[in-house]
Amino acid sequence: QQQVKQSPQSLIVQKGGISIINCAYENTAFDYFPWYQQFPGKGPALLIAIRPDVSEKKEGRFTISFNKSAKQFSLHIMDSQPGDSATYFCAAKEGGGGNKLTFGTGTQLKVEL
Amino acid sequence: NAGVTQTPKFRVLKTGQSMTLLCAQDMNHEYMYWYRQDPGMGLRLIHYSVGEGTTAKGEVPDGYNVSRLKKQNFLLGLESAAPSQTSVYFCASRWLNYGYTFGSGTRLTVV
């Protein structure tokens, strides 16, 4: 079963627009919610993360919004640029042994000129 | 440069053949992970290790074995490859609670 559900599968945004990617989770034991960015031929790289006791975190053009009661979180990319074109994965970390990350299925973002 | 190095980068196997994927990290990280990435399925955890000499199963461990004899190395083995194991394999080490450093991946095709 998919513990972290991510949508949309793909997204096309015009340069300067806002990109929004959504994720939902079931396991209330998750204690960190990071986002990873992956360019073709590369491994994913940490972009930004949030704890469940915080409703919003912003780093530059990237913002995570977190709704604990709805068990949902989203990534907003403001002023989207062609260089943001990549695959984005939401993830959730289990507390306890292993510190394992469970990933969403990914969103392929294309920012057009 | 510090990071996670995976070898080989590409490999084609015939069904039933065996191989070992090597992951090496030079950051002195305790925790290491093997994931597979398939279209539409994201990254799924195969096995992980919380330190030298330890390994544990992840979400999709069947058909794979691992070893962590040295802290810096984490090996993923396929004893008898199957077409269902065609995938891109990523190794990662943990530097923060939620922060992993990933290698650049091994693209494996089983024919």
Side-chain angles (χ1 to χ4, degrees):
Chain A
Q1 68 280 17
Q2 192 71 36
Q3 290 199 58
V4 179
K5 296 183 178 180
Q6 183 172 348
S7 63
Q9 187 173 358
S10 62
L11 182 62
I12 299 175
V13 173
Q14 296 299 309
K15 179 183 176 183
I18 302 174
S19 303
I20 302 174
I21 304 170
N22 300 300
C23 285
Y25 65 96
E26 291 295 327
N27 187 349
T28 55
F30 290 142
D31 62 0
Y32 274 100
F33 298 86
W35 286 87
Y36 280 74
Q37 179 188 55
Q38 183 182 31
F39 293 105
K42 304 291 185 182
L46 178 65
L47 186 63
I48 187 173
I50 197 167
R51 287 171 15 190
D53 56 346
V54 175
S55 61
E56 185 175 281
K57 184 173 181 181
K58 184 176 180 179
E59 289 186 2
R61 296 183 294 108
F62 299 90
T63 299
I64 301 177
S65 297
F66 192 88
N67 186 329
K68 189 174 182 177
S69 61
K71 291 190 278 187
Q72 295 175 348
F73 58 110
S74 59
L75 177 69
H76 292 63
I77 306 174
M78 312 300 287
D79 186 27
S80 298
Q81 299 297 313
D84 296 331
S85 297
T87 299
Y88 292 82
F89 292 96
C90 61
K93 186 190 81 67
E94 296 178 25
N99 289 110
K100 301 184 294 291
L101 285 181
T102 299
F103 287 86
T105 51
T107 296
Q108 196 164 358
L109 170 65
K110 183 177 181 181
V111 181
E112 293 184 336
L113 293 169
Chain B
N1 289 339
V4 176
T5 303
Q6 291 184 234
T7 53
K9 295 191 184 304
F10 302 93
R11 185 72 186 267
V12 178
L13 280 182
K14 292 183 179 179
T15 298
Q17 286 185 321
S18 63
M19 77 164 294
T20 301
L21 282 67
L22 173 63
C23 176
Q25 55 101 356
D26 58 4
M27 298 170 286
N28 203 36
H29 291 164
E30 291 290 341
Y31 290 39
M32 296 185 73
Y33 308 83
W34 276 106
Y35 283 86
R36 60 179 289 175
Q37 183 175 11
D38 302 291
M41 304 193 74
L43 293 132
R44 293 180 293 166
L45 182 63
I46 305 171
H47 285 281
Y48 66 100
S49 169
V50 300
E52 181 178 309
T54 74
T55 62
K57 293 180 180 180
E59 180 186 355
V60 288
D62 293 344
Y64 305 95
N65 57 75
V66 288
S67 65
R68 184 98 181 269
L69 298 179
K70 292 183 178 181
K71 187 177 184 178
Q72 63 268 34
N73 295 336
F74 194 26
L75 278 63
L76 178 71
L78 286 74
E79 291 184 346
S80 179
S84 61
Q85 294 178 303
T86 293
S87 187
V88 181
Y89 292 85
F90 286 99
C91 175
S93 67
R94 186 180 75 98
W95 56 275
L96 200 62
N97 261 346
Y98 49 83
Y100 289 7
T101 298
F102 282 86
S104 57
T106 294
R107 185 173 294 275
L108 174 66
T109 301
V110 183
V111 297

